[in-house]
Amino acid sequence: MLNHQASLDLMFAALADASRRSMVERLGRGSASVKELAAPLSMSLPAVMQHLRVLESSGLVSSAKTGRVRTCRINPAALRTAEDWIAVRRADLSAQLDRLGTYLENS
Amino acid sequence: MLNHQASLDLMFAALADASRRSMVERLGRGSASVKELAAPLSMSLPAVMQHLRVLESSGLVSSAKTGRVRTCRINPAALRTAEDWIAVRRADLSAQLDRLGTYLENS
């Protein structure tokens, strides 16, 4: 449970940056090299590598090097963990609204 | 668009903390006073207020004071914004898998 909380901490922190989100958006459409990830971003390759490290530490992204090319991809299971946390809150909110509706109907 | 990115920055950063997530979890089940939010957390009331301010700045939570009691609730639209961002990535990943499936079937 502690690990789960720590994972969520790292994932949400990784997503709290527009450049890192744009890297995840790109990877959602297919795996990409670091160079391809960097192309639309106006920042140095070391800066992109730094963001990549944050994404990798969070588990959201993994990468593997073949020859000189490092290919990055999303880890779908990690993304689902973050999505699930929010989805449960939304389900709770819907249940709240349902209870309110029932209350108003019966009052 | 810039505002949208800044909002996502603040919301994901707000969710990158287990105490703040537990406050959002509690509010998912119904509005609550600051005292009620603080009850399950082993921290001082000022610390809880500080977390509440982060949640309010992100737009995820709003609060109103009546007499001496400050009542907090989730802003469902803000939660949906964060959820939608992740959902689009998940949809992109599914489309990727579908394309891979089609490719494998036809090869």
Side-chain angles (χ1 to χ4, degrees):
Chain A
M1 191 61 184
L2 196 64
N3 279 346
H4 182 64
Q5 291 296 345
S7 293
L8 285 172
D9 281 8
L10 290 173
M11 281 191 272
F12 284 127
L15 294 179
D17 177 278
S19 301
R20 287 196 294 268
R21 283 197 304 278
S22 101
M23 292 165 74
V24 173
E25 285 167 12
R26 169 63 188 80
L27 294 175
R29 297 191 293 274
S31 59
S33 68
V34 176
K35 211 171 156 183
E36 286 169 324
L37 284 183
L41 301 170
S42 49
M43 58 174 70
S44 67
L45 212 57
V48 171
M49 287 298 296
Q50 179 55 37
H51 282 307
L52 181 59
R53 271 190 288 271
V54 175
L55 287 168
E56 288 195 291
S57 302
S58 77
L60 281 170
V61 169
S62 61
S63 76
K65 203 166 181 179
T66 309
R68 290 185 174 195
V69 178
R70 178 170 293 280
T71 304
C72 310
R73 49 179 53 81
I74 291 187
N75 175 1
L79 194 66
R80 183 152 44 221
T81 303
E83 190 179 24
D84 285 352
W85 186 88
I86 299 185
V88 173
R89 264 67 267 167
R90 292 263 308 148
D92 283 349
L93 280 176
S94 295
Q96 257 195 71
L97 282 177
D98 287 349
R99 282 195 304 273
L100 181 65
T102 305
Y103 170 80
L104 291 175
E105 271 170 27
N106 298 332
S107 65
Chain B
M1 191 61 184
L2 196 63
N3 279 347
H4 181 64
Q5 291 295 345
S7 294
L8 285 171
D9 280 9
L10 291 173
M11 282 190 273
F12 285 127
L15 294 178
D17 178 277
S19 300
R20 288 196 292 269
R21 283 197 304 279
S22 101
M23 292 165 74
V24 173
E25 286 166 12
R26 170 62 188 81
L27 294 175
R29 296 190 294 271
S31 59
S33 68
V34 175
K35 212 170 153 184
E36 286 169 325
L37 284 182
L41 301 169
S42 49
M43 58 173 72
S44 67
L45 213 57
V48 171
M49 287 299 296
Q50 179 55 37
H51 282 308
L52 181 58
R53 272 191 287 274
V54 175
L55 288 168
E56 288 195 290
S57 303
S58 77
L60 280 170
V61 168
S62 60
S63 76
K65 203 166 181 177
T66 308
R68 291 184 171 195
V69 179
R70 177 170 294 280
T71 304
C72 311
R73 49 179 53 81
I74 291 188
N75 174 1
L79 194 67
R80 184 152 42 222
T81 303
E83 189 178 26
D84 284 352
W85 186 88
I86 300 185
V88 173
R89 263 69 268 169
R90 290 264 308 148
D92 282 350
L93 280 175
S94 295
Q96 256 194 70
L97 282 177
D98 288 348
R99 283 196 304 275
L100 181 65
T102 306
Y103 171 80
L104 292 175
E105 270 170 25
N106 298 331
S107 64

